[in-house]
Amino acid sequence: MNLRRRYLRDRVMVALVYLGTALVLLPLGFILLHVFTQGIGALNWAFFTQPPAPPGEGGGGMLPAIVGTFVIDLMALAMGGVLGLGGGVLMAEYPDHPLNRPLRLVANVLGGVPAILMGLFAFVLVVEPMGGFSAFSGAVALAILMIPIIMRATEEVLRILPWELREAGLALGLPRWRVTLSLILPAARGGIVTGLLLALARAAGEAAPLLFTAFGNPFLSFDPLGPMDSLPLKIYVYAISPYEDWIRQAWGAALLLALMLMVTNYLARRALRRS
Amino acid sequence: MEPLRMETENLTVHYGKSVGVRNVSLPVYDRKITALIGPSGCGKTTFLRALNRMHDLNPIVRIEGRVRLDGEDLYAPGVDPVAIRRRVGMVFQRPTPFPTMSIFENVVAGLRLVGVRDRERLMGVAERSLKAAALWDEVKDRLHEPAVGLSGGQQQRISIARALAVEPEVLLMDEPTSALDPISTQAIEDLLAGLKEQVTIVIVTHNMQQAARVSDYTAFFLNGDMIEFGPTERLFTNPSDPRTEAYITGRFG
């Protein structure tokens, strides 16, 4: 009789777990579905190949923003990736290093700063000294946004590797940096790539840090030192505009951004499994 | 008298405010197997790790006394711990194959990662080391498969082969069979006898029978002190300290 009650309780608990999972997945599915139904109509050949058209004229596309998104996000990932990885490695592998405490403080503070402040920061740090808006300054703002995410993810995955792995390397007469570079980082690469992707996904969706850094540009540009457009910027500008075709294109851009992130995620995971 | 390879002189290892090993002077004879025995927490592993400066990473550990390798003090100022660890290798309690590497890459990791690229030389080293670790016949057809796919006993022999590949003068073994089944244990005990032709071995074990079977000299540790040291046969048949006798006859531990 006691056993029957335990089985019953087990079933109730399992049902609750399923219910919780469904409740979490529901909004996600709803958002994706809504973006898809609203945005799919805007995706046509011109959307991918044309620069934007003036309001009311109709047509036009997102080519400068699509190119700009790739350029800015890749620059940001390169900068934020190197610094974030470096910081994460220092925090996990050299816990007694004197730089460790300030670094941890910086990571925590940066992690809590609103994204728009990153833009202001990059404005003061890069835009003003360089004398103008640029894709590079936008990438700096996004990189600062990425650093705490990458640092924490890196630190966490390195921490869960067994200590014996490091000792085994050291016992072979390998220097500490070599153990970190050739034994520890490869062993943790799955988690590190996840951290990089999380940071990229987070930054790729931000418009605020780009408002007064990359600024936006209606013309196709590959110049990292000049203003450049980006999908989140376009979504922001188009979505609050009064023009119906712009609003439609904003949905299209949102759908495209979501698809790009999903594809990146998928490709990175597949590459990891292969190697 | 046998030629010395290593020796400690009044070696004391502090862990913060407590003491792990107290005032131990122990000779390690060339191409012999020295076993360190004693109950859990007696300091034998702490002592072993002082022999290749493995304590360096732990900031709370402080070492006093001398540890000499071929007459040279390992803890003298200016001595590079990395260079010491190339000469004094170590095998740990749990097998530690490098998870992203194949069997071959694991065995030659100590050479490849310091820049040895000559494929033929690496292959030669891998074969020689795997043969010395009595593993060659089992893995020679799958050298490029991941090492983590091997059994626990095989993984431990990979760890031994990997340590041998850099040709250390001394090999420290920290309970190398305690995580293994009896058959794998047997395989590793069997290979120790052959290994001592090329390398001096210091092995920590809490298995007294193992110490009696494989070693030439035995040191008995208790609560951080070395109670007795001598040729294994003499120590087990005619211990001079009553505590040694009590331990080897199974009255405690």
Side-chain angles (χ1 to χ4, degrees):
Chain A
M1 56 131 220
N2 222 334
L3 197 62
R4 256 187 60 194
R5 272 182 59 180
R6 277 197 261 162
Y7 273 124
L8 188 69
R9 196 186 298 173
D10 177 59
R11 252 178 241 136
V12 171
M13 288 303 166
V14 170
L16 283 176
V17 168
Y18 276 116
L19 185 70
T21 311
L23 282 177
V24 170
L25 287 179
L26 211 63
L28 178 70
F30 182 72
I31 291 171
L32 283 178
L33 191 73
H34 192 67
V35 170
F36 187 81
T37 50
Q38 295 283 319
I40 191 74
L43 299 187
N44 52 33
W45 183 245
F47 185 88
F48 292 98
T49 56
Q50 299 281 312
E57 204 172 276
M62 289 281 176
L63 180 63
I66 295 169
V67 170
T69 301
F70 274 106
V71 172
I72 294 172
D73 289 355
L74 283 181
M75 277 198 289
L77 186 63
M79 290 187 279
V82 169
L83 294 175
L85 267 178
V89 166
L90 187 82
M91 292 203 296
E93 297 297 306
Y94 300 88
D96 302 306
H97 196 281
L99 271 180
N100 216 297
R101 284 170 65 97
L103 199 64
R104 201 170 294 277
L105 184 73
V106 167
N108 286 335
V109 171
L110 275 186
V113 170
I116 193 156
L117 283 187
M118 307 295 184
L120 269 179
F121 184 67
F123 182 82
V124 174
L125 196 77
V126 186
V127 176
E128 284 201 320
M130 288 180 69
F133 299 116
S134 65
F136 174 71
S137 63
V140 168
L142 293 185
I144 300 171
L145 190 88
M146 289 176 169
I147 286 171
I149 305 173
I150 297 173
M151 245 162 94
R152 280 210 209 105
T154 305
E155 187 197 5
E156 259 168 53
V157 291
L158 295 190
R159 287 251 159 127
I160 56 173
L161 291 178
W163 183 252
E164 287 94 332
L165 198 60
R166 294 158 177 100
E167 293 201 327
L170 293 171
L172 287 177
L174 297 174
R176 193 78 201 275
W177 64 269
R178 176 51 82 184
V179 170
T180 303
L181 204 64
S182 300
L183 299 178
I184 301 301
L185 288 179
R189 65 181 177 203
I192 288 174
V193 169
T194 304
L196 291 174
L197 285 175
L198 272 176
L200 179 68
R202 170 75 207 288
E206 287 285 353
L210 299 178
L211 287 175
F212 23 78
T213 52
F215 192 69
N217 183 347
F219 304 104
L220 181 60
S221 162
F222 293 94
D223 177 13
L225 298 180
M228 198 180 276
D229 220 337
S230 168
L231 285 169
L233 274 180
K234 266 279 168 286
I235 296 170
Y236 172 69
V237 174
Y238 276 25
I240 58 174
S241 78
Y243 313 111
E244 212 166 283
D245 56 334
W246 275 20
I247 294 174
R248 211 166 38 82
Q249 287 204 333
W251 281 111
L255 174 60
L256 180 62
L257 197 57
L259 288 177
M260 276 162 60
L261 287 174
M262 281 193 248
V263 169
T264 313
N265 206 313
Y266 170 75
L267 289 180
R269 298 213 166 270
R270 215 177 62 161
L272 262 185
R273 265 203 309 273
R274 286 263 173 88
S275 63
Chain B
M1 205 61 201
E2 311 251 13
L4 271 180
R5 179 104 264 180
M6 291 187 91
E7 72 179 318
T8 68
E9 189 186 315
N10 300 325
L11 179 69
T12 299
V13 182
H14 300 266
Y15 273 108
K17 288 204 170 82
S18 61
V19 177
V21 168
R22 201 177 298 106
N23 226 3
V24 172
S25 300
L26 173 85
V28 176
Y29 296 113
D30 189 36
R31 283 163 227 233
K32 297 288 176 208
I33 299 179
T34 304
L36 312 179
I37 62 168
S40 298
C42 68
K44 51 196 193 299
T45 293
T46 300
F47 177 82
L48 189 79
R49 293 165 63 88
L51 299 184
N52 69 343
R53 296 195 51 170
M54 222 53 193
H55 288 303
D56 281 26
L57 294 178
N58 191 340
I60 67 163
V61 172
R62 196 161 48 82
I63 307 244
E64 278 169 26
R66 303 266 171 277
V67 180
R68 291 197 197 87
L69 171 62
D70 298 328
E72 173 199 357
D73 185 3
L74 301 192
Y75 289 91
V79 173
D80 178 9
V82 171
I84 293 302
R85 295 189 199 115
R86 281 196 89 72
R87 295 168 64 192
V88 185
M90 192 162 197
V91 172
F92 299 86
Q93 194 166 351
R94 284 202 298 163
T96 50
F98 299 141
T100 51
M101 295 187 188
S102 69
I103 294 169
F104 168 74
E105 287 167 333
N106 255 282
V107 174
V108 299
L111 297 172
R112 221 167 54 101
L113 296 182
V114 296
V116 180
R117 291 277 157 207
D118 180 352
R119 190 90 190 158
E120 231 164 272
R121 183 178 155 207
L122 290 178
M123 204 34 113
V125 169
E127 179 171 349
R128 185 168 44 72
S129 310
L130 284 166
K131 278 179 173 160
L135 193 57
W136 175 251
D137 289 330
E138 289 163 58
V139 300
K140 64 179 179 217
D141 299 320
R142 44 177 174 148
L143 288 177
H144 299 289
E145 289 173 27
V148 284
L150 298 173
S151 74
Q154 288 172 323
Q155 287 184 8
Q156 191 61 306
R157 279 178 284 156
I158 287 281
S159 307
I160 295 173
R162 192 174 63 194
L164 292 173
V166 296
E167 298 185 36
E169 296 164 41
V170 181
L171 185 60
L172 309 176
M173 306 179 100
D174 186 6
E175 303 195 21
T177 63
S178 68
L180 304 181
D181 62 88
I183 291 172
S184 304
T185 299
Q186 176 81 53
I188 286 179
E189 284 186 12
D190 287 346
L191 80 89
L192 288 180
L195 280 184
K196 71 174 180 181
E197 317 257 304
Q198 24 177 319
V199 59
T200 303
I201 294 173
V202 183
I203 180 170
V204 164
T205 175
H206 59 211
N207 176 338
M208 277 178 287
Q209 287 72 31
Q210 183 169 67
R213 280 193 299 265
V214 304
S215 71
D216 303 296
Y217 292 89
T218 298
F220 170 57
F221 282 71
L222 186 62
N223 295 329
D225 294 306
M226 190 177 83
I227 304 298
E228 187 168 354
F229 170 80
T232 298
E233 208 185 318
R234 204 272 298 146
L235 189 128
F236 276 97
T237 52
N238 187 18
S240 52
D241 193 290
R243 288 168 293 180
T244 312
E245 188 182 1
Y247 181 69
I248 62 179
T249 53
R251 261 180 277 155
F252 70 93

